[in-house]
Amino acid sequence: MANAWEKLENKCYEHLIHKYGDNNSIEPYGKSDSTKADIKVEPATSDEFFVEVKAGSSQCCQFVLFPNEDTKSFDFSKRNKVPLSDNCKKIITYMNERYKTYYKVGKEGSPVKVKSSILYGLVQDFYSVKKVEFFMTKGTDIIIFPTSSFPNYFTIKAFYRRKTSGSAEPNESSNNAEIMQGLNEEGISGAIEYKSVGGKIRCFLHSDTYIHKRKMMCDEHTYQFKDNNYSKALSKLKKYVFEVRRLSNTSNPNVICQLSLKKTVQDQKDLQAFENIMNKKD
């Protein structure tokens, strides 16, 4: 059975096909892949662009920030799929100045009370990368509007929160390649060892650098290095030994924007902006 967001995307897609599909190419695009826009549009006489569908209560603009206990500041993950824009930097600066407020974030989250203009700018940053030129939503009926009109339709707030999940031992056959790639990309030197401890095969990093509690975000999982009783029990090949734990990427602490629809009727100027493109003639 389709989720609510899938039903809305399908409804918006069918609406576009019904009204504009005769002369323009329109197709579902992103589906469950949040790194892609929802609908691809190729007008008969213009360049392709994308449409993003947002429910009346929804989220957007998620990016991972790791607390850095050494610098007492937040690190923008290299694995984020979004650009480190000026608006991202403004949010990070705000949080750095209030490090003690945010560094112990839990699943409940804490509001990030930056100016709304920064958050609306963040929306523009995120979706311009995806070539999104219009948004669709459902008010009293289907609504279409250009990205520049986003502040007219949605209120926006930002939160820093973590979706908690447990950890597990990495599997040498399925996780080792990702771990090695991550170490290389993060510039972490050392040797990986898999060793039976307490009846389980555990993964350890032997390194000259002290990186206790540091996290390494990879494509499929995030890994954390821990100086614990298991690592202390090993004969050291190098100065430090850390157990490597595999986390789900959903456990990463992230900034995310919460949207709420405030304008439930279509502005005809916004609809006309869309129709000018879709109905343009040679």
Side-chain angles (χ1 to χ4, degrees):
M1 181 177 293
N3 295 319
W5 64 266
E6 290 178 300
K7 291 179 180 178
L8 180 59
E9 284 185 20
N10 290 336
K11 187 169 186 175
C12 289
Y13 166 70
E14 290 168 1
H15 176 85
L16 294 180
I17 286 291
H18 175 70
K19 295 204 68 175
Y20 311 102
D22 289 345
N23 301 314
N24 306 282
S25 174
I26 303 168
E27 61 183 271
Y29 190 69
K31 297 186 179 180
S32 61
D33 186 348
S34 63
T35 65
K36 296 180 180 180
D38 297 322
I39 301 172
K40 181 179 180 180
V41 179
E42 293 183 84
T45 59
S46 303
D47 294 335
E48 71 175 26
F49 64 90
F50 295 86
V51 176
E52 186 77 6
V53 177
K54 285 296 176 190
S57 178
S58 54
Q59 297 176 330
C60 69
C61 302
Q62 179 173 327
F63 60 95
V64 174
L65 289 182
F66 289 124
N68 187 320
E69 295 184 10
D70 293 329
T71 63
K72 298 295 186 292
S73 62
F74 293 91
D75 295 333
F76 185 82
S77 172
K78 295 179 181 178
R79 287 282 176 174
N80 282 323
K81 304 297 184 182
V82 297
L84 180 56
S85 65
D86 286 342
N87 289 300
C88 277
K89 292 177 182 177
K90 290 175 182 177
I91 292 171
I92 295 170
T93 297
Y94 176 92
M95 292 176 60
N96 285 345
E97 292 171 351
R98 298 159 179 83
Y99 183 79
K100 290 183 179 180
T101 300
Y102 293 109
Y103 80 105
K104 286 187 176 180
V105 65
K107 63 181 180 180
E108 296 300 322
S110 298
V112 181
K113 298 180 180 180
V114 297
K115 293 179 180 178
S116 60
S117 59
I118 294 174
L119 301 181
Y120 285 124
L122 193 66
V123 171
Q124 298 292 325
D125 297 337
F126 271 52
Y127 289 104
S128 63
V129 173
K130 299 181 182 182
K131 295 175 64 177
V132 170
E133 295 187 11
F134 287 86
F135 284 85
M136 295 183 72
T137 188
K138 175 70 168 60
T140 55
D141 204 345
I142 295 293
I143 297 172
I144 304 173
F145 58 90
T147 57
S148 59
S149 295
F150 194 93
N152 297 336
Y153 289 90
F154 282 96
T155 60
I156 187 169
K157 296 180 180 180
F159 296 87
Y160 185 57
R161 60 105 169 95
R162 180 196 303 274
K163 289 183 179 178
T164 58
S165 63
S167 64
E169 295 82 16
N171 185 289
E172 184 172 6
S173 60
S174 59
N175 300 131
N176 193 65
E178 183 177 60
I179 291 172
M180 297 305 295
Q181 180 182 354
L183 292 173
N184 182 61
E185 291 179 354
E186 295 283 340
I188 300 172
S189 61
I192 290 291
E193 176 188 18
Y194 291 87
K195 188 176 180 65
S196 177
V197 179
K200 292 183 178 180
I201 301 298
R202 297 181 178 270
C203 178
F204 298 92
L205 171 70
H206 299 258
S207 178
D208 288 327
T209 306
Y210 189 72
I211 53 173
H212 176 54
K213 290 189 177 181
R214 178 167 170 178
K215 292 182 179 179
M216 179 177 73
M217 186 176 174
C218 298
D219 286 334
E220 296 296 328
H221 300 92
T222 293
Y223 300 88
Q224 185 171 35
F225 306 98
K226 288 193 172 183
D227 180 6
N228 56 24
N229 291 334
Y230 297 115
S231 64
K232 288 182 173 68
L234 293 182
S235 57
K236 296 179 176 58
L237 299 177
K238 291 198 173 186
K239 188 174 181 180
Y240 302 109
V241 182
F242 306 95
E243 183 177 8
V244 183
R245 301 292 293 173
R246 187 187 70 209
L247 312 175
S248 167
N249 272 342
T250 60
S251 70
N252 290 326
N254 58 78
V255 172
I256 192 164
C257 293
Q258 180 68 44
L259 304 176
S260 180
L261 188 66
K262 65 179 180 179
K263 182 179 176 65
T264 59
V265 295
Q266 175 74 68
D267 187 313
Q268 291 303 309
K269 289 182 179 179
D270 292 332
L271 178 60
Q272 190 62 54
F274 184 78
E275 293 192 335
N276 286 345
I277 297 174
M278 303 303 285
N279 298 329
K280 185 177 179 181
K281 300 184 183 298
D282 290 326

